[in-house]
């Protein structure tokens, strides 16, 4: 594993990925450390850039965000200037929750979360209005079998 982390660091990361709301006391007990040692470890993981912030897991269905769309994009443009403009444009669309440059038949993959097809169409129209794209293909998720799984540390 990179950045010189040991088994205790891995145990801390696993525990936090399962439950980021653990108190420092509970976290320390789970991994067999004192609270001070636990705090020092967490601080070191943050300083190394391995542990970044904390987030709450939000149930999208409770917020009427039931449509998940994987958008595959192909472009003929590959200049640094075009890419910078494209990144800026996509990152202005809050419904885009994941954004990857990929290899293969497509150049980019977006994960869009929105209410319904009409809402997605607004996202789609906004996406294509901002930059020139060669093709846009959308795949609609039927069911989330595994989503937001912990990293295998």
């Amino acid at each position: 594993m990179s950045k010189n982390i040991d088994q205790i660091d891995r145990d801390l990361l696993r525990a936090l990925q399962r439950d980021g709301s653990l108190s420092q006391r509970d976290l320390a007990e789970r991994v067999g450390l004192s609270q001070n040692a636990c705090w020092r470890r967490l601080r070191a993981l943050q300083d190394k850039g391995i542990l970044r912030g904390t987030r709450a897991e939000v149930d999208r269905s409770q917020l009427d965000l039931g449509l998940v769309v994987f958008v595959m994009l192909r472009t003929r443009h590959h200049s640094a200037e075009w890419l910078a403009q494209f990144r800026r444009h996509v990152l202005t669309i809050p419904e885009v929750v994941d954004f990857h440059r990929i290899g293969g038949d497509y150049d980019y993959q977006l994960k869009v979360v929105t209410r319904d097809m009409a809402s997605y169409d607004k996202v789609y129209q906004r996406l294509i209005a901002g930059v020139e794209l060669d093709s846009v293909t959308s795949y609609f998720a039927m069911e989330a079998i595994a989503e937001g799984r912990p990293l295998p540390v």
Side-chain angles (χ1 to χ4, degrees), residues 1-13:
M1 177 145 291
S2 64
K3 301 229 182 189
N4 298 325
I5 67 170
D6 63 13
Q7 189 59 47
I8 293 173
D9 290 337
R10 287 185 188 89
D11 292 344
L12 284 168
L13 294 171

Side-chain angles (χ1 to χ4, degrees), residues 50-101:
I50 295 169
L51 186 59
R52 301 180 316 195
T54 58
R55 295 182 186 182
E57 186 175 335
V58 178
D59 184 343
R60 61 183 168 74
S61 68
Q62 296 294 319
L63 298 174
D64 196 27
L65 295 171
L67 183 63
V68 176
V69 184
F70 296 96
V71 183
M72 309 304 288
L73 304 168
R74 190 176 294 127
T75 181
R76 293 180 195 165
H77 305 281
H78 298 282
S79 70
E81 298 82 25
W82 184 90
L83 177 56
Q85 175 191 0
F86 179 58
R87 285 181 179 185
R88 280 191 307 273
H89 174 63
V90 170
L91 293 175
T92 67
I93 304 171
E95 294 87 353
V96 175
V97 297
D98 289 321
F99 177 20
H100 299 271
R101 186 168 60 89

Side-chain angles (χ1 to χ4, degrees), residues 5 10 43 54 70 83 99 112 118-120 125 135 140:
I5 67 170
R10 287 185 188 89
R43 187 75 183 150
T54 58
F70 296 96
L83 177 56
F99 177 20
V112 174
S119 299
Y120 171 66
Q125 294 300 326
S135 70
F140 302 94

Side-chain angles (χ1 to χ4, degrees), residues 98-140:
D98 289 321
F99 177 20
H100 299 271
R101 186 168 60 89
I102 60 174
D105 290 337
Y106 294 95
D107 299 308
Y108 300 93
Q109 178 183 9
L110 311 178
K111 180 179 178 183
V112 174
V113 175
T114 190
R115 284 191 322 271
D116 53 27
M117 191 61 71
S119 299
Y120 171 66
D121 188 49
K122 289 177 185 173
V123 171
Y124 171 82
Q125 294 300 326
R126 185 172 172 191
L127 176 65
I128 64 171
V131 291
E132 183 183 343
L133 297 167
D134 189 42
S135 70
V136 179
T137 303
S138 301
Y139 296 97
F140 302 94

Side-chain angles (χ1 to χ4, degrees), residues 42-51:
L42 291 174
R43 187 75 183 150
L45 290 168
Q46 291 168 345
D47 290 346
K48 291 176 184 177
I50 295 169
L51 186 59

